[in-house]
Amino acid sequence: ASMIDRIIPILDKYSVTETIDYGAGQCGFRKSLETKGKGITVVEYDPGVPALAIPPNPSDFLVCIDVLEHVEPDLLGNVFEHMQSLVKKNGFLSISTIPAQRILNDGRNAHLIVQEPQWWIDTVAHYFNIEDTRIIKNHSVELEISRK
């Protein structure tokens, strides 16, 4: 199943009507939901995209897809604390656990944090309760989370 097909049952389970897309980038999550005909309001936030850089108001749900592995390692805690301030109830995180194909201008891999799924599980657990975990084909980990 595609990622959107794995996320939709979670959105349905929590009767999500609005979600923050944290690190929305090219807005692919909203576009995928629209393709599937899901009438969910997606509030897109991405500090790296000027048009999406306004911090959103807290929401019951938050998705963060293929974002956390791109964060500067020394800022990861700040990002999780910011996410904590935005999630009222539940969320879904998808995190790549392998190097990216893209190399940054400074020569580093675009995935600044490449760690095993268990490292991510342990790290996320400092900030959120983990309700469910899926390891996807040795390339990513998906976590269903709730506010502590």
Side-chain angles (χ1 to χ4, degrees), residues 88-130:
K88 290 188 198 170
K89 294 180 181 174
N90 298 90
F92 174 88
L93 314 178
S94 177
I95 310 163
S96 176
T97 56
I98 59 172
Q101 303 205 340
R102 194 164 60 87
I103 303 297
L104 301 176
N105 292 338
D106 65 8
R108 294 182 298 168
N109 191 277
H111 289 175
L112 299 177
I113 305 174
V114 177
Q115 292 285 353
E116 294 292 317
Q118 191 61 50
W119 184 91
W120 283 107
I121 292 165
D122 294 343
T123 301
V124 170
H126 288 291
Y127 301 94
F128 296 99
N129 297 316
I130 296 177

Side-chain angles (χ1 to χ4, degrees), residues 45-147:
Y45 171 67
D46 194 321
V49 178
L52 303 178
I54 299 156
N57 293 318
S59 181
D60 285 349
F61 204 86
L62 176 147
V63 298
C64 182
I65 299 167
D66 295 337
V67 171
L68 294 168
E69 64 271 20
H70 294 277
V71 173
E72 293 283 351
D74 59 340
L75 297 178
L76 189 60
N78 300 35
V79 169
F80 278 124
E81 287 169 9
H82 188 224
M83 288 170 61
Q84 278 180 314
S85 75
L86 297 175
V87 178
K88 290 188 198 170
K89 294 180 181 174
N90 298 90
F92 174 88
L93 314 178
S94 177
I95 310 163
S96 176
T97 56
I98 59 172
Q101 303 205 340
R102 194 164 60 87
I103 303 297
L104 301 176
N105 292 338
D106 65 8
R108 294 182 298 168
N109 191 277
H111 289 175
L112 299 177
I113 305 174
V114 177
Q115 292 285 353
E116 294 292 317
Q118 191 61 50
W119 184 91
W120 283 107
I121 292 165
D122 294 343
T123 301
V124 170
H126 288 291
Y127 301 94
F128 296 99
N129 297 316
I130 296 177
E131 302 296 335
D132 197 11
T133 304
R134 281 179 220 81
I135 295 169
I136 308 297
K137 297 180 192 153
N138 298 318
H139 66 71
S140 62
V141 60
E142 295 179 353
L143 303 175
E144 196 178 310
I145 59 166
S146 65
R147 185 178 178 85

Side-chain angles (χ1 to χ4, degrees), residues 16-21 29-30 33 38-44 59 61:
V16 174
T17 57
E18 178 186 286
T19 182
I20 294 168
D21 182 1
F29 174 69
R30 175 178 50 81
L33 274 186
K38 295 299 283 183
I40 293 174
T41 302
V42 179
V43 178
E44 292 163 325
S59 181
F61 204 86

